[in-house]
Amino acid sequence: MRPAVLVTCAAVAALALLCHAPPMAQAEAPHHRSLGLATFLATLAYVTPQILGDAAVASQAAQHTSNWAVIVDTSLFWLNYRHESNALSHYHTAKRLGIPDSNIILMIAHDMACNAKNPYPARVYGDKAHDLNLYDDTVEVDYRGSEVNVENFLRLLIGRHDPASPRSKRLLSDEGSNVFVFLNGHGGDDFVKFQDVQELMGQDLADALQHMHEKGRYNELLLFVESCEAGSMIEKITAPNIVATGSSVKGQSSYSYDNDYLLGMPVSDAFTWRTLKFTERIGPGSKATLPDLFKKMTYDALKSNFTYRTTALRRPLSSMRLTDFLGSATRVAAGAGEAYPLSGRGACGEARAGGGGGGGGGGILSELWSLHATGGI
């Protein structure tokens, strides 16, 4: 039922109760009428936001059909080891919570695992205890090295690729997709650096997100920017249904978390570290909300002021779960009467022994059996 209809029904019900109140003495009637009207208006004011909010949440749930993630490390050089580990940490979190590799675009600017300075070849760690190798054989990097540049990042968001670009390099989201974007690197006032020589400007990012909205490339979008002055990158975003966050405000640095003295540098940034400490305690289907995560981003934890902004959300921020973005909502609907149209066929369409369409029929074997039963064979 539409929200407007729900509110109208509530109003009619309240008026009905008011109009069918028991009769009273003539002298008391005006007083009680005005008291009843005030009660009606107060009740309507109370229930309307709840009805609209619940309806918006239900509407969003119906529209949300898939999840995609774009995870970007923009930095070159060994000294930026932590930026790759940040990206890989978010990559593994997205996979653990249900987003398949086919729906994750991972962009890594520099291969730290194979850097000659790495004392642990083919490994990347996100904590100084070296508990988990983030660069294991399950990692699928879609853009690497010089491919990680401003042009390719913007093309990825708006969907304008070279015709020869493979599927693995395309963001194939649609109007039912919740999209998570993690952008990590060095930055400044209104820019994030790519490859140490290019800059992604805040207005370019805002224009790309607006284009995504106009072309129906997302349902809702969650953006994490982790860089110095990250808040300046989200100020110009106007496209609706976006929650954009920055690890620091304009004029502030964004800091690393802790030093690994064996590697000679930090292996994580503070914002990523706090995010991981939160997400490692939740699983698919968790009810933890974005505000729950945001409350953990204190100045004491980050040594900078975390910031976020929202743009014309269709539902309350308090109803947005982290797993709405870092999770899976893929739905598979079977056609009526035939769950798998190719059931009973081999790879090239030939009849397969022991196959059969099952449940409603389809498949070559089912057709042959039908002909046999009717005397056709």
Side-chain angles (χ1 to χ4, degrees), residues 148-295:
V148 183
N149 56 56
V150 172
E151 179 181 353
N152 282 344
F153 175 67
L154 294 177
R155 284 184 176 275
L156 177 69
L157 293 183
I158 66 179
R160 293 185 177 180
H161 299 279
D162 184 285
S165 296
R167 184 196 183 283
S168 62
K169 294 181 181 289
R170 296 172 183 259
L171 176 64
L172 301 177
S173 57
D174 56 33
E175 66 276 2
S177 303
N178 278 10
V179 179
F180 168 66
V181 180
F182 176 66
L183 186 59
N184 181 214
H186 289 291
D189 185 3
D190 199 37
F191 72 88
V192 169
K193 295 174 71 174
F194 273 68
Q195 298 281 349
D196 206 50
V197 294
Q198 296 181 340
E199 293 178 354
L200 171 69
M201 308 304 294
Q203 188 62 60
D204 294 332
L205 178 61
D207 290 344
L209 296 177
Q210 181 65 36
H211 186 96
M212 290 183 71
H213 163 64
E214 292 172 359
K215 297 300 181 181
R217 290 178 58 77
Y218 71 88
N219 172 49
E220 294 176 328
L221 188 144
L222 175 63
L223 171 65
F224 286 175
V225 181
E226 185 168 20
S227 70
C228 293
E229 304 191 64
S232 65
M233 285 294 293
I234 65 176
E235 293 176 350
K236 298 178 181 178
I237 296 173
T238 58
N241 296 309
I242 292 178
V243 180
T245 75
S247 59
S248 59
V249 298
K250 182 177 178 179
Q252 275 187 338
S253 295
S254 185
Y255 292 99
S256 60
Y257 172 70
D258 200 5
N259 283 320
D260 182 334
Y261 293 103
L262 292 176
L263 289 172
M265 68 191 66
V267 292
S268 180
D269 280 322
F271 174 79
T272 289
W273 182 262
R274 295 303 301 178
T275 302
L276 294 179
K277 289 291 110 179
F278 184 86
T279 57
E280 70 184 11
R281 298 194 301 270
I282 68 175
S286 168
K287 296 183 179 181
T289 65
L290 294 182
D292 292 335
L293 171 63
F294 295 169
K295 290 174 185 176

Side-chain angles (χ1 to χ4, degrees), residues 53-137:
D54 292 344
V57 172
S59 174
Q60 189 280 333
Q63 295 174 20
H64 177 199
T65 58
S66 64
N67 283 81
W68 284 80
V70 178
I71 299 172
V72 189
D73 153 39
T74 69
S75 298
L76 286 177
F77 309 127
W78 174 248
L79 59 89
N80 295 314
Y81 181 102
R82 66 190 184 278
H83 293 165
E84 181 170 327
S85 74
N86 292 341
L88 291 173
S89 295
H90 284 283
Y91 168 82
H92 283 289
T93 297
K95 286 181 65 175
R96 181 178 63 83
L97 293 177
I99 304 181
D101 249 322
S102 59
N103 286 29
I104 302 175
I105 310 298
L106 179 60
M107 307 179 77
I108 300 294
H110 188 99
D111 192 352
M112 301 299 174
C114 297
N115 190 293
K117 296 181 179 179
N118 190 352
Y120 306 99
R123 299 181 182 184
V124 173
Y125 295 107
D127 67 283
K128 62 183 182 180
H130 301 171
D131 291 328
L132 178 65
N133 174 25
L134 299 174
Y135 202 79
D136 59 23
D137 57 7

Side-chain angles (χ1 to χ4, degrees), residues 49 52-54 56-57 220 291 313-321:
L52 289 174
D54 292 344
V57 172
E220 294 176 328
L313 300 180
R314 67 168 68 95
R315 59 174 174 144
L317 181 64
S318 60
S319 72
M320 291 185 167
R321 300 179 181 180

